[in-house]
Amino acid sequence: MRTPKPPRADDSTTAGTTGDTDGNHDTDGTASRLAEPGGSSGKVQSLERAITLLEATADSAPDGETATNLASRCGLNRATAWRLLSTMEQYGLVERDPLTSRYTVGFAVARMASAAGFDGLIRRSHGVLRQVSEQTGETANLAVVQQLGLTYIDEVTPPVVLSAKWLGRQAPLHATSTGKALLAWLPTEEVDVLLPEPLTAYTDTTVADRGRLRAELAETRERGYSVCAGEMERNLYGVSAPVLGTRDRPFAVLSIWGPQDRVPESRFPALGALACGAAEEVARAARAL
């Protein structure tokens, strides 16, 4: 376990004090411990502050943020923010770059997230997928963003349609509408890391040129949804929309797809608009988790 690092110069004005300007003047810690339950609300104030800081740190990805700026963003005294960040750093919830003093989310968060599974998100979004599938007569699925790409976690297929099952599968990001919906909302440097070199051309419509792909991603973001015309499998056509979290960063992607004869390119605008609306519904449901 690492020990907390000393405060930087930008924190030195308050990091050595024990009284907080936000009302927690606790020379021995007794007052804040007594006040922490939060009265009748049952909330623990220090835990709420730590969670707020952790969320703000996550929102600052990929560059991270200093303790001073995080404190300001969360409306906290700098000494309070520094102590909370130092404690979370000990447990691997945040990481501090020794050169820039910027905090980023630590590996422990990723480890806990991977252990949690996606049951809650599936439960809250499955009805949206079912409604989309019934309305379009096509397959609707949901993929979640993971460290190296996307994994499909839920799928609804029309009962009279035979289709490939994508649950648990990963697909090349540049050759699917699902992948392009993710890439279009990521910073360029992250896109470069996620894409292999060279890009594989799976069919004659696969965009395997990085320049052309970047141009398509820009169009995708402006349009609000991505498209795929037989780029992974020749006969599979579809559209996808990102499920956006804080700072418009995608944490999942909702897709509608089917065979070319049922999902021709002429249907893309209508299906794209429907996918965007459904993705917003999933985002609202996820915020309620």
Side-chain angles (χ1 to χ4, degrees):
M1 181 180 296
R2 290 166 294 184
T3 57
K5 297 176 178 61
R8 298 281 296 178
D10 59 3
D11 294 323
S12 59
T13 57
T14 55
T17 64
T18 55
D20 293 346
T21 59
D22 51 7
N24 287 342
H25 302 285
D26 54 335
T27 304
D28 61 358
T30 303
S32 63
R33 285 197 299 272
L34 292 174
E36 272 190 355
S40 60
S41 69
K43 297 179 181 178
V44 179
Q45 189 179 62
S46 59
L47 182 57
E48 282 188 307
R49 290 171 174 171
I51 292 171
T52 300
L53 273 174
L54 188 59
E55 289 178 337
T57 303
D59 290 346
S60 70
D63 297 327
E65 192 54 272
T66 64
T68 297
N69 289 341
L70 288 171
S72 176
R73 185 178 300 176
C74 298
L76 296 176
N77 171 272
R78 284 187 295 173
T80 301
W82 181 82
R83 288 197 297 271
L84 290 170
L85 288 166
S86 296
T87 302
M88 288 192 286
E89 186 180 4
Q90 291 185 62
Y91 289 91
L93 296 174
V94 298
E95 298 284 345
R96 178 178 175 272
D97 187 317
L99 297 179
T100 65
S101 294
R102 290 177 177 269
Y103 287 88
T104 55
V105 171
F107 178 75
V109 175
R111 176 177 54 79
M112 287 187 285
S114 64
F118 303 105
D119 290 349
L121 180 59
I122 292 172
R123 184 173 62 253
R124 289 179 178 268
S125 63
H126 187 77
V128 178
L129 295 182
R130 185 175 61 250
Q131 183 178 5
V132 168
S133 181
E134 292 173 352
Q135 186 172 346
T136 63
E138 306 301 338
T139 298
N141 54 28
L142 186 71
V144 293
V145 179
Q146 295 190 302
Q147 187 174 9
L148 298 178
L150 289 158
T151 300
Y152 294 90
I153 62 168
D154 197 14
E155 181 175 271
V156 175
T157 302
V160 296
V161 173
L162 294 177
S163 65
K165 295 296 183 182
W166 288 81
L167 294 183
R169 292 176 59 183
Q170 290 186 326
L173 299 180
H174 70 288
T176 59
S177 64
T178 311
K180 287 185 284 187
L182 167 64
L183 297 175
W185 271 263
L186 292 180
T188 302
E189 58 271 18
E190 291 189 47
V191 173
D192 292 337
V193 169
L194 288 173
L195 290 177
E197 181 66 52
L199 298 177
T200 301
Y202 295 94
T203 71
D204 56 3
T205 60
T206 305
V207 180
D209 177 79
R210 286 178 179 266
R212 284 182 56 207
L213 180 61
R214 281 193 291 270
E216 182 178 344
L217 295 179
E219 293 175 5
T220 294
R221 182 152 186 161
E222 183 176 353
R223 185 172 53 220
Y225 62 90
S226 60
V227 301
C228 177
E231 298 167 41
M232 174 63 186
E233 297 183 20
R234 193 176 305 277
N235 191 44
L236 287 183
Y237 280 46
V239 301
S240 297
V243 181
L244 301 176
T246 54
R247 300 181 69 179
D248 287 339
R249 187 177 178 87
F251 64 87
V253 176
L254 187 143
S255 303
I256 306 170
W257 57 273
Q260 180 183 6
D261 60 343
R262 290 205 317 268
V263 188
E265 293 184 57
S266 60
R267 288 190 72 187
F268 283 178
L271 292 177
L274 182 60
C276 289
E280 291 177 3
E281 287 189 54
V282 173
R284 287 193 295 269
R287 287 194 291 270
L289 287 174

